[in-house]
Amino acid sequence: MTSVRIPGDWPTTEGAARAIQDGLRGRVVLDEPGPPPGTGRVTGVDVAYDDERDLVAAAAVVLDGASLEVVAEATAVGRISFPYVPGLLAFREIPTVLAALDALPCPPGLVVCDGYGLAHPRRFGLASHLGVLTGLPTIGVAKNPFTFTFTAPATPRGSTAPLLAGTEEVGRALRTRDSVKPVFVSVGHRVGLANACAHTLALTPAHRLPETTRRADALCRRALREAVGADPGTDRGTDRGLPSGPGRTGDRGPRARLDPPDRP
DNA sequence: GCGACAG
DNA sequence: ATCTTGTCGC
């Protein structure tokens, strides 16, 4: 497992973080269909936190697209780089996720994120951000509709309904199991929405959530437990390789929520 | 003014 | 995200 250092120029304020999103948004590629489902590799990434100890652990798990067997995995641990702010999730997850992806012994192929891509107040969610930074095809599969609206998809697995920001379809509510609450799929980078949904279905043969995120979730939680509960005995005065970066943003009291969508 | 908002 | 026991169901 590798450790992460937060970049010295990492944003400290919400305004700076939003400005970065606005500056990078134009680099998202939306006109590529992306790799066909059931082929190549598909990688799940996820993150777990221990706010008390200021720790974050990320995992990247590579699956064979056809068999869904695990091909490779990697984890990374670091300090929390940003507080949770709706709309700015990427700044909390990206440094550690990038480190985990870098630690993989093979190319990730399509990356499946836990969260959103295009379905974002500024159309630049975690999946989009990660895609632009890595150049990899990415999609986002979220468990909640965030601030978007949708009508319930039909009962059978595979049914979809548009995820809407007003009248704009920013993603799709996709039923991955009969009669079970849908997941919310949106495009990240270099993948089309229909293909993103097809991938999500290919990754959900038995559960509501994609095998990629299930595997990554289990692995990052384990990595966090091990990073916390490790060797409480011998090496007292020694640190555990966790660098102290510029530090995270200070606590914020009750705050205003998301800014209204800036693209009417 | 209050509410509500990926993880 | 995280705090948490047993319980219903495939």
Side-chain angles (χ1 to χ4, degrees), chain A residues 4 8 12 20 26 38 54 63 81 109 115 123 126 134 144 150 163 168 186 219 222 225 241 247 256 258 262:
Chain A
V4 200
T12 294
I20 289 175
D54 190 32
L63 304 185
S81 56
R123 303 298 180 268
L126 172 63
T134 61
N144 301 295
F150 69 102
L163 185 63
E168 176 186 3
S186 61
L219 183 55
R222 184 156 62 79
R225 288 200 315 265
L258 286 181
D262 53 22

Side-chain angles (χ1 to χ4, degrees), chain A residues 8-98:
Chain A
D9 59 342
W10 202 245
T12 294
T13 67
E14 297 177 21
R18 282 190 220 97
I20 289 175
Q21 294 181 325
D22 290 334
L24 255 32
R25 182 174 42 198
R27 309 241 253 266
V28 176
V29 172
L30 299 173
D31 60 7
E32 284 182 33
T39 63
R41 265 90 194 256
V42 188
T43 296
V45 293
D46 194 19
V47 171
Y49 303 94
D50 183 331
D51 284 282
E52 293 290 283
R53 312 189 186 216
D54 190 32
L55 283 178
V56 51
V61 180
V62 185
L63 304 185
D64 176 77
S67 66
L68 302 190
E69 297 283 306
V70 177
V71 171
E73 343 177 285
T75 61
V77 175
R79 307 192 103 86
I80 295 177
S81 56
F82 207 83
Y84 171 66
V85 178
L88 300 179
L89 177 64
F91 295 94
R92 189 168 165 79
E93 312 215 326
I94 276 186
T96 320
V97 166
L98 285 178

Side-chain angles (χ1 to χ4, degrees), chain A residues 133-205:
Chain A
L133 260 37
T134 61
L136 297 168
T138 61
I139 67 173
V141 179
K143 300 182 271 309
N144 301 295
F146 200 8
T147 61
F148 305 103
T149 61
F150 69 102
T151 54
T155 306
R157 159 179 156 85
S159 304
T160 67
L163 185 63
L164 303 170
T167 61
E168 176 186 3
E169 181 180 39
V170 294
R172 220 158 261 174
L174 170 65
R175 190 93 67 184
T176 54
R177 298 292 288 162
D178 291 359
S179 305
V180 172
K181 173 182 175 174
V183 295
F184 304 88
V185 180
S186 61
V187 159
H189 184 58
R190 301 179 51 199
V191 183
L193 183 54
N195 200 21
C197 289
H199 267 106
T200 303
L201 278 179
L203 291 168
T204 50

Side-chain angles (χ1 to χ4, degrees), chain A residues 46 59 212-225:
Chain A
D46 194 19
T212 38
T213 81
R214 288 169 48 77
R215 300 317 263 252
D217 178 78
L219 183 55
C220 69
R221 291 192 194 215
R222 184 156 62 79
L224 184 62
R225 288 200 315 265

